[in-house]
Amino acid sequence: MEMGTISSWKVEEGGSFGPGDVLAEIETDKATMDFEAQDEGILARILHPGMEEIPVGTPIGIVVEEESDVSAFANYQVVVAAVAVAEEEVTTIAAPAAVQRQVGVEHVLSPAARHISQSKGLDATGLAGTGKGGRVTKGDLLQALASGVSMPTLSQTPTTTATTTTIPVPVQAAHTAVAAAVVPVKAVPVEMIMTEGSFEDVPNNNMRKVIAKRLTESKSTVPHFYTTVQIPLDEVLKLRKTFPVKISVNDVIVRAAALALRDVPEVNQSEDNIDVSIAVATPGGLITPIVPNTHTLGLHQISTKITDLATRARENKLKPEEYQGGTFCISNLGMFGITEFSAVINPPQAAILAVGGGIPTIVPSKDQKNKPQLQTLMTARLSADRSVVDEPTASLFLQIFRRYLTNPELLLL
């Protein structure tokens, strides 16, 4: 963890607190943690009110022992932060003075910016662009117009010289030629249409930023390859009806994957234990709580454990050791109506299993004597790290995984 965000302060300025009292809630990479006081004191000054990213180690408040000392810090400001802000303002103001581009003159304006500048008769090539290579975008031009930035008018368009073109004709009339004169086209004024609408800019929280950073690194550095299998779920659905307690199809999938990892340990990230992570969607982002020693648990135990972890994950009450680690991950989007998808590996794990929903499908019989059957087919796609797992190993894992789901009575042993 390098950055953190203060979600809220539980003690106001001038308020007293004792050992164990919660001073503030700190939003970390994956959860919101309580920042507890180690001793008694008075909060004299809050340096960072909250809802902004703060580097780890940055002072966030001033604590005093005597109430009479509170007034001494009433107008206290962090000097380092002020200097940094001042330097940033100087840089921002000075930036437009030196316009450096990495694109040709004909590509300085984006198509939308060129259209607007031509319709207004202004030369916008001198503006500082924020686009790739220094290109002037539509937003740059609209901001300059709104700010009243002075721009030169466009120069007169050069007069087009009429030319004569010789057009080839059939052989029998090759001695003749047709002269075509270029007819000047009168410019038609085009009314500028503004497509901007109202919107709300909602900043990403720390969890979503960390997820985006880590999965981008994974997709860029981990050589992904994919293997897919379709599995009939009819036997699993029959098992659910006869099972003495309520279990979900996802519980059966987790149990089957854990036993397949036991049989094919090369897909598992660890040789010592099998800890399956379950992807859970929360309002703040995706989190993967862990079911420890999954292969040793029965279906009812797995169901109880997943329900508890998912509930506390949505309430931001998981402990770090409950979502950090894991040796294999399962992401199931079947309950959202998704039939199949490809998941991104979560390092240092070597694979992740993407599971879709069951779809009723007509399947032809293996011999021509029997009629086609209606089966509920589920698509499971394994994303594996090619530097750790090879194609035959991934195929073997999916074969065994399929065998457990087509013969679910093996999961009861």
Side-chain angles (χ1 to χ4, degrees), residues 154-290:
L154 285 173
S155 59
Q156 294 295 328
T157 305
T159 303
T160 304
T161 304
T163 60
T164 302
T165 305
T166 302
I167 303 176
V169 294
V171 176
Q172 62 269 23
H175 61 281
T176 63
V178 179
V182 178
V183 180
V185 180
K186 183 182 295 185
V188 179
V190 179
E191 182 181 357
M192 183 175 61
I193 301 176
M194 306 299 292
T195 59
E196 288 78 8
S198 60
F199 66 93
E200 181 182 359
D201 191 2
V202 180
N204 269 341
N205 55 24
N206 279 355
M207 180 186 293
R208 294 191 182 277
K209 290 180 181 179
V210 171
I211 292 173
K213 178 182 177 181
R214 291 180 178 173
L215 294 189
T216 301
E217 291 177 353
S218 172
K219 198 65 176 176
S220 303
T221 60
V222 176
H224 287 58
F225 79 94
Y226 309 94
T227 47
T228 307
V229 66
Q230 285 190 323
I231 305 172
L233 294 179
D234 301 88
E235 296 301 324
V236 172
L237 298 178
K238 293 179 182 178
L239 175 68
R240 289 187 62 200
K241 295 179 181 180
T242 60
F243 207 72
V245 294
K246 184 179 179 180
I247 59 173
S248 67
V249 175
N250 189 64
D251 300 330
V252 180
I253 292 172
V254 173
R255 169 72 172 162
L259 295 183
L261 289 172
R262 181 196 62 185
D263 299 339
V264 189
E266 293 83 0
V267 181
N268 196 43
Q269 186 263 341
S270 173
E271 296 181 355
D272 301 326
N273 54 312
I274 299 174
D275 301 331
V276 177
S277 302
I278 310 298
V280 177
T282 69
L286 196 67
I287 193 169
T288 53
I290 304 168

Side-chain angles (χ1 to χ4, degrees), residues 75-98:
N75 300 319
Y76 181 82
Q77 298 291 337
V78 180
V79 179
V80 177
V83 173
V85 172
E87 292 178 353
E88 182 180 352
E89 290 177 354
V90 172
T91 304
T92 305
I93 296 173

Side-chain angles (χ1 to χ4, degrees), residues 44-111:
R45 181 70 172 170
I46 295 177
L47 301 180
H48 293 279
M51 301 313 296
E52 58 177 326
E53 280 194 321
I54 306 171
V56 175
T58 302
I60 60 174
I62 299 176
V63 175
V64 297
E65 296 181 356
E66 302 295 336
E67 187 176 359
S68 57
D69 297 333
V70 173
S71 58
F73 299 94
N75 300 319
Y76 181 82
Q77 298 291 337
V78 180
V79 179
V80 177
V83 173
V85 172
E87 292 178 353
E88 182 180 352
E89 290 177 354
V90 172
T91 304
T92 305
I93 296 173
V99 180
Q100 298 180 357
R101 310 188 195 280
Q102 299 176 358
V103 294
V105 179
E106 66 277 11
H107 301 301
V108 169
L109 299 179
S110 68

